[in-house]
Amino acid sequence: HKRRLVELVVSPSSSLVGMTVKESRFRTRFNAAIIAVHRQGEHVKEKMGNIVLRSGDVLLIETGEHFMCEFQKDPNFALVCEVSGSQPPREDKLHMFIAATLVLAMIGVATSQVMPLLTAALLCVFGMLITRCMSLANAGSAINISVVLTIALSFGISKGLEVTGAAAQLSTFIVKVFDFSTVGLLFGIYLGTSLLTAVITNNAAVALMMPIVADPTSGIIVTQGLNPYAALYTMMIAASAAFATPIGYQTNLMVHGPGGYRFTDWVKFGLPMQIILGISGVFLASVIYPK
């Protein structure tokens, strides 16, 4: 639980400059292990021990909680910054049991309709705070305001699409282009949702596509007689298949920098995966849930 990730920038006056990682005895000297080295925005793809360190190199290291206190002002580093949320979960069996019990109780109470899910979730969080399964800082850092606002605003945009008739126009456009079969319509839904989820969150993409697909008066399901399960499952699969861009999903962004990926890497490997998933998903949805 005390281990965490820290980013370092090698200073111009650092004694590490010009030395290989092995020669610098970094692990022994700083009680930390270098995981990755970035240079001018590019991941240095060499054997770790043979990398010659230069001024301005960004080092991603794994270390203990002591590092920030001991080396934050070390002249070898121009910048020392802990990666937020990088410490592993603690292996405390008592609190693990309490947390699991609270979550199961929340699920049980919500599914039995004793109280709404929101109320059960709030009580669960309150219980975890009281029992110290998590701190207020943990709870606060878990809330991503930008994501919450994006999702909330997307529901407003979705309502606007519905009220102004834009949703009906978009559904008509999809029908005109892909109205050669049930599979074609499902593929149109998959394509439209995939394009949205590539640039916004999957929740927001679903919120925007919902009136286009499932509006009770002008949605594709009603006007074209599609099986609701087939259409909605296709939309769900497409919203979750954010493989082609680093901004399509939070986990993509989490690995984009440390992994040294470029935008074209996501297109090169992610786009074929989305196409394969689209073909297989649409085919299975049309077979399992026929018109």
Side-chain angles (χ1 to χ4, degrees):
H1 179 63
K2 296 181 179 180
R3 306 297 291 178
R4 69 258 343 260
L5 298 178
V6 175
E7 286 185 325
L8 312 172
V9 178
V10 179
S11 68
S13 60
S14 174
S15 60
L16 301 173
V17 175
M19 302 175 67
T20 65
V21 172
K22 185 176 181 180
E23 291 170 345
S24 69
R25 299 173 61 248
F26 194 94
R27 183 187 291 269
T28 304
R29 187 173 172 184
F30 299 102
N31 192 23
I34 300 177
I35 298 176
V37 178
H38 278 219
R39 181 172 297 149
Q40 297 179 347
E42 297 288 336
H43 181 217
V44 181
K45 299 177 181 179
E46 296 180 29
K47 187 177 180 181
M48 187 59 66
N50 296 334
I51 296 176
V52 178
L53 298 175
R54 299 179 187 174
S55 172
D57 282 355
V58 180
L59 312 181
L60 180 66
I61 66 169
E62 182 184 22
T63 185
E65 59 182 355
H66 69 282
F67 191 91
M68 293 296 295
C69 296
E70 292 184 23
F71 301 107
Q72 190 165 19
K73 296 183 179 180
D74 192 295
N76 286 298
F77 310 118
L79 178 67
V80 179
C81 180
E82 182 178 334
V83 178
S84 177
S86 61
Q87 60 267 34
R90 63 187 184 190
E91 296 182 0
D92 182 341
K93 292 185 178 180
L94 175 61
H95 286 93
M96 288 169 63
F97 175 77
I98 294 173
T101 302
L102 287 170
V103 170
L104 289 174
M106 176 194 70
I107 296 172
V109 168
T111 52
S112 60
Q113 298 183 343
V114 174
M115 63 178 65
L117 177 59
L118 177 60
T119 306
L122 289 173
L123 289 174
C124 179
V125 171
F126 187 66
M128 289 191 179
L129 289 171
I130 290 178
T131 56
R132 297 187 177 181
C133 289
M134 66 177 178
S135 65
L136 280 172
N138 295 142
S141 63
I143 301 173
N144 191 323
I145 298 298
S146 62
V147 173
V148 173
L149 286 175
T150 300
I151 295 171
L153 293 173
S154 68
F155 283 111
I157 296 171
S158 174
K159 188 65 177 178
L161 288 173
E162 183 179 344
V163 172
T164 60
Q169 292 297 321
L170 288 172
S171 64
T172 302
F173 174 76
I174 292 175
V175 169
K176 284 183 178 179
V177 175
F178 297 98
D179 189 23
F180 48 84
S181 67
T182 300
V183 173
L185 289 170
L186 292 177
F187 186 75
I189 294 171
Y190 182 90
L191 181 62
T193 310
S194 295
L195 291 174
L196 285 174
T197 201
V199 292
I200 59 177
T201 66
N202 55 347
N203 308 69
V206 170
L208 291 175
M209 285 296 294
M210 184 61 74
I212 299 170
V213 175
D215 186 86
T217 57
S218 60
I220 296 174
I221 292 175
V222 174
T223 58
Q224 301 302 307
L226 280 181
N227 188 308
Y229 287 105
L232 294 177
Y233 275 129
T234 299
M235 184 171 63
M236 289 165 56
I237 291 170
S240 300
F243 307 138
T245 66
I247 59 175
Y249 205 72
Q250 287 180 322
T251 47
N252 295 13
L253 287 171
M254 288 170 63
V255 301
H256 181 72
Y261 298 112
R262 293 173 296 181
F263 194 95
T264 53
D265 293 331
W266 293 93
V267 177
K268 187 187 303 181
F269 296 100
L271 188 59
M273 290 175 62
Q274 280 195 245
I275 294 172
I276 292 170
L277 183 61
I279 294 172
S280 57
V282 166
F283 174 75
L284 289 173
S286 63
V287 171
I288 297 173
Y289 303 105
K291 189 172 181 179

